[in-house]
């Protein structure tokens, strides 16, 4: 590879002078990160006996419970310390009042999530930090993040009951933290008080506090079978045009007791990280969502980008914008790419 250097002679101050070598660029670089600031999502699918690739998501697969443990073991060896688990059950509840009597609130069933958390904690103990995503879109038959009434309107009371029940169930099973991704009003406060009442005051809440209605969740919805059967999520996720609402949403989660805040999707929310940090004083992370990650996979597959270089570039950009931590489908590559803890 030819090395392009400049002949710097006349300028009293030159941008080029400080970019001449890797050592100089490193000397004045302002952001970095280690594998310990990245969180690896894992899809654990009930009843699956092996691994099933997720379209577009590279080496991320839908995993049966046994395969998930093996994947986590390999990821731990590769330096990953934080895992965000999406537990995908084989059966879904009606998510309506009719089912109320037979199972948990709204007929939704968190047994698979609890079993998954317990199995992972039993094997890995405190060598990892285990986060469980808390939402209803993977357990309701209509695929919305809420329990709906007969008129297909959000039944907020039952929804909050169900979210709190899910959080307590996975905390009981040993989760270190819960991560509500539903965007319902008041869920962080409700989950915090439910956890505390159940004796889980130590369990953290990492709220998806600024989460937009986005076109970038496609591969995830395939992986978690969580596409809404009708309508979309614009009734409860934030409109991308709305900056005020986006910041206020995180401020409210902070006030309700969230320990960690988050913007999502990451790259489309860069401008919001610093203002949220300024108004809450809390750590704010960024979720590099499935569609963002898949766009890098797709570019590389066409020979239009170097995948690893593009991935690392996006991580640096998220850190530069102020992200304390990053949830990324590439966390398991960090150490190999030179970002060991
Ligand atoms: C569930 C949930 C979604 C994601 C995380 N939790 C999908 C959605 O809200 O539709 C998206 C994550 C990703 O795309 O990687 N509510």
């Amino acid at each position: 590879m030819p090395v392009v250097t400049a002949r710097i002679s006349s300028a009293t101050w030159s941008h080029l002078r400080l970019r001449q070598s890797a050592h100089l660029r490193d000397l004045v670089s302002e952001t970095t990160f280690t594998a310990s600031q990245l969180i690896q999502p894992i899809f654990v699918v009930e009843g699956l006996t092996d691994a099933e690739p997720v379209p577009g998501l590279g080496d991320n697969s839908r995993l049966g419970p046994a395969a998930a443990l093996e994947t986590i073991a390999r990821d731990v060896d590769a330096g990953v310390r934080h895992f965000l688990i999406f537990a995908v059950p084989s059966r879904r509840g009606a998510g309506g009042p009719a089912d109320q009597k037979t199972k948990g609130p709204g007929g939704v069933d968190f047994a698979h999530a609890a079993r998954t958390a317990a199995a992972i904690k039993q094997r890995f103990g405190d060598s990892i930090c285990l986060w469980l995503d808390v939402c209803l879109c993977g357990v309701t038959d209509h695929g919305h993040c809420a329990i709906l009434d007969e008129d297909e309107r959000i039944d907020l009371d039952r929804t909050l009951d169900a979210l709190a029940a899910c959080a307590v169930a996975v905390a009981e099973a040993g989760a270190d933290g819960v991560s509500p991704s539903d965007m319902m009003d008041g869920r962080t406060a409700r989950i915090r008080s439910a956890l505390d009442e159940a004796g889980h005051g130590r369990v953290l809440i990492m709220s998806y506090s600024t989460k937009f209605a986005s076109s970038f969740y496609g591969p995830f919805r395939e992986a978690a079978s969580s596409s809404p059967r009708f309508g979309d999520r614009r009734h409860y996720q934030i409109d991308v045009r709305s900056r005020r609402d986006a910041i206020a949403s995180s401020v409210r989660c902070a006030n309700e007791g969230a320990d960690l805040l988050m913007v999502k999707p990451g790259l489309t929310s860069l401008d919001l990280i610093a203002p949220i940090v300024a108004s809450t004083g809390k750590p704010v992370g960024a979720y590099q969502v499935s569609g963002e990650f898949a766009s890098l996979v797709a570019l590389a597959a066409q020979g239009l980008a170097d995948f690893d270089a593009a991935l690392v570039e996006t991580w640096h950009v998220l850190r530069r914008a102020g992200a304390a931590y990053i949830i990324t489908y590439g966390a398991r590559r960090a150490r190999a790419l030179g970002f060991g803890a």
Side-chain angles (χ1 to χ4, degrees):
M1 240 225 271
V3 179
V4 179
T5 53
R7 231 180 64 215
I8 304 157
S9 51
S10 59
T12 51
W13 186 78
S14 166
H15 297 282
L16 300 175
R17 202 175 285 132
L18 270 175
R19 293 179 195 154
Q20 285 178 85
S21 70
H23 288 327
L24 288 169
R25 292 190 294 272
D26 289 348
L27 179 73
V28 294
S29 67
E30 292 174 72
T31 65
T32 189
F33 58 87
T34 68
S36 47
Q37 289 159 324
L38 305 183
I39 302 179
Q40 176 70 51
I42 302 276
F43 299 102
V44 187
V45 184
E46 187 179 20
L48 202 64
T49 48
D50 204 357
E52 229 173 63
V54 181
L57 269 195
D59 63 2
N60 290 273
S61 299
R62 289 159 50 87
L63 301 167
L69 292 176
E70 296 323 309
T71 298
I72 293 171
R74 275 197 302 278
D75 291 349
V76 169
D77 286 345
V80 181
R81 295 295 172 259
H82 291 267
F83 293 89
L84 175 59
I85 306 299
F86 296 96
V88 186
S90 54
R91 278 173 302 118
R92 289 161 164 270
D99 234 10
Q100 182 82 359
K101 291 192 195 70
T102 50
K103 300 199 201 87
V108 290
D109 186 352
F110 306 112
H112 169 59
R115 271 195 302 271
T116 299
I120 295 172
K121 262 317 204 188
Q122 192 182 4
R123 167 114 175 234
F124 299 100
D126 289 336
S127 66
I128 64 165
C129 215
L130 183 64
W131 303 88
L132 264 287
D133 186 86
V134 168
C135 194
L136 303 183
C137 58
V139 290
T140 54
D141 62 358
H142 45 65
H144 279 288
C145 306
I147 290 169
L148 306 182
D149 67 14
E150 292 87 346
D151 300 324
E152 292 180 346
R153 279 187 295 218
I154 291 170
D155 183 336
L156 190 57
D157 286 341
R158 281 215 182 83
T159 299
L160 294 179
D161 284 348
L163 292 167
C166 178
V168 170
V170 298
E172 214 75 60
D176 296 292
V178 294
S179 202
S181 66
D182 53 281
M183 293 306 285
M184 297 298 138
D185 283 352
R187 92 281 205 198
T188 299
R190 177 67 73 90
I191 288 172
R192 182 71 271 158
S193 61
L195 288 171
D196 293 348
E197 276 163 31
H200 299 296
R202 282 183 55 210
V203 171
L204 294 115
I205 302 180
M206 172 167 69
S207 277
Y208 288 70
S209 53
T210 294
K211 173 172 174 177
F212 289 100
S214 169
S215 304
F216 289 94
Y217 305 150
F220 173 94
R221 291 184 187 171
E222 290 293 313
S225 329
S226 76
S227 290
R229 304 289 177 272
F230 53 85
D232 55 42
R233 304 211 203 287
R234 281 181 293 181
H235 295 282
Y236 40 97
Q237 299 180 342
I238 301 169
D239 188 312
V240 289
R241 295 169 296 184
S242 172
R243 176 184 167 86
R244 212 172 24 233
D245 189 15
I247 295 170
S249 177
S250 271
V251 170
R252 190 169 61 173
C253 280
N255 292 337
E256 290 183 19
D259 302 288
L260 295 162
L261 304 173
M262 189 200 302
V263 296
K264 174 188 174 187
L267 284 185
T268 63
S269 309
L270 293 179
D271 56 317
L272 301 169
I273 299 175
I276 294 170
V277 174
S279 37
T280 64
K282 302 237 182 183
V284 179
Y287 197 145
Q288 175 174 51
V289 299
S290 57
E292 296 179 81
F293 185 84
S295 66
L296 307 182
V297 173
L299 269 180
Q302 295 198 63
L304 298 174
D306 175 315
F307 179 75
D308 288 335
L311 186 62
V312 168
E313 178 178 334
T314 59
W315 291 342
H316 277 305
V317 168
L318 293 167
R319 291 284 287 165
R320 192 186 70 212
Y325 63 93
I326 303 170
I327 303 172
T328 167
Y329 294 92
R332 60 172 62 100
R333 300 173 80 85
R335 196 164 70 189
L337 294 173
F339 301 94

